[in-house]
Amino acid sequence: MPDTVKAAAPSPSSGGGAARAAALAAARTGLLLAAASIAVFAATDVLPGDAAWTRAAPGATEEQVAELRAQLGLDRPAWRRYADWVGGLLTGDAGTSLVNGRPVADAVAQRAAATAALVAGALAVAAPLMLALGWWAGAARRVRAAATAVLTGAAAVPTAVAASGLAALLSGTLGLLPAVSLLAPGASPLDSPELLVLPVLSVALPTALFGAGLLSGAVADALRRPHVADARRRGRPAWAVACVDVLPFVLAPFVRVVAVSAGGLVAATTVVETLFGYPGLGSLLVSAVATRDVPVVQAVAMLAALVVLAGLLAADLVAAAVDPRRGGAPREAR
């Protein structure tokens, strides 16, 4: 990840359409998704131990564990297991849990709504905040480096530390929120929104600070463009300069940062859900890793990768739409 991202750099039209750019972006997303599947499978395949040891009765012999491993299909060659797994994903079958025999899709779907509510709430807080802070840092001409350093330093605070601090303040000291976020089985998190506040803030604030540090460079680049200075000389109101002359050049990098942040949020939920007892995909992933329930781990990891890649594809499509070299740009001259 670069320190900052660059603003979209429109230039005079040089041919090539937005449709071609969109097709290339979609093809690249497909290739990256295939690469992610290989990486996820390889990472889970090298985990020490396996589900056969988890399911085996206490005191089971090596022969009994080996027999159970064969029943679970874990003794097959890695390439065969990968091919079967990918083939299942392509047909909408994520397999069955090695621990309880339930369909993986059911286990993921049962937890996905809770994590989706958490990630959506965190993005709703983090996205406008990262844009505001990134704008502030990018517009701070003389102290931009210091402002970016402050944002980067604050973003370096581990999620667990941020969550503990917020819980101590908002729950322990002020008594405004519950210290844990336990949900009744089958209950929607939206039925008890107060349970979402601490988990949402715990992942949204570090994400906003990190994204703001990345966006500050794009904002500074956009503010230095000649048409922005010309608009100011002609007396255009500051809000119009921001919305019409600067924001279109920041939109693509902003969407790209939000896309990457969304994937990071899915990963960050593993810590926050465990700390607050929130029953989402993060806590499911932690328990699946502990029991070596590889199909569940792979499904959650691929879902996170899919979120990131879908967001990056959306960012590429936005960039194609606003880049004049591809036929749809904002004009610099006003």
Side-chain angles (χ1 to χ4, degrees), residues 117-159:
L118 173 55
V119 172
L123 277 180
V125 174
L129 186 57
M130 77 168 61
L131 183 59
L133 291 175
W135 204 292
W136 164 73
R141 298 178 181 177
R142 297 183 179 179
V143 294
R144 182 194 156 205
T148 303
V150 169
L151 293 175
T152 304
V157 176
T159 301

Side-chain angles (χ1 to χ4, degrees), residues 279-297:
L281 288 176
S283 55
L284 176 65
L285 177 63
V286 171
S287 62
V289 170
T291 57
R292 300 299 185 265
D293 198 351
V294 170
V296 175
V297 176

Side-chain angles (χ1 to χ4, degrees), residues 303-320:
L303 186 59
L306 185 61
V307 169
V308 173
L309 293 177
L312 291 176
L313 176 60
D316 287 339
L317 296 179
V318 170

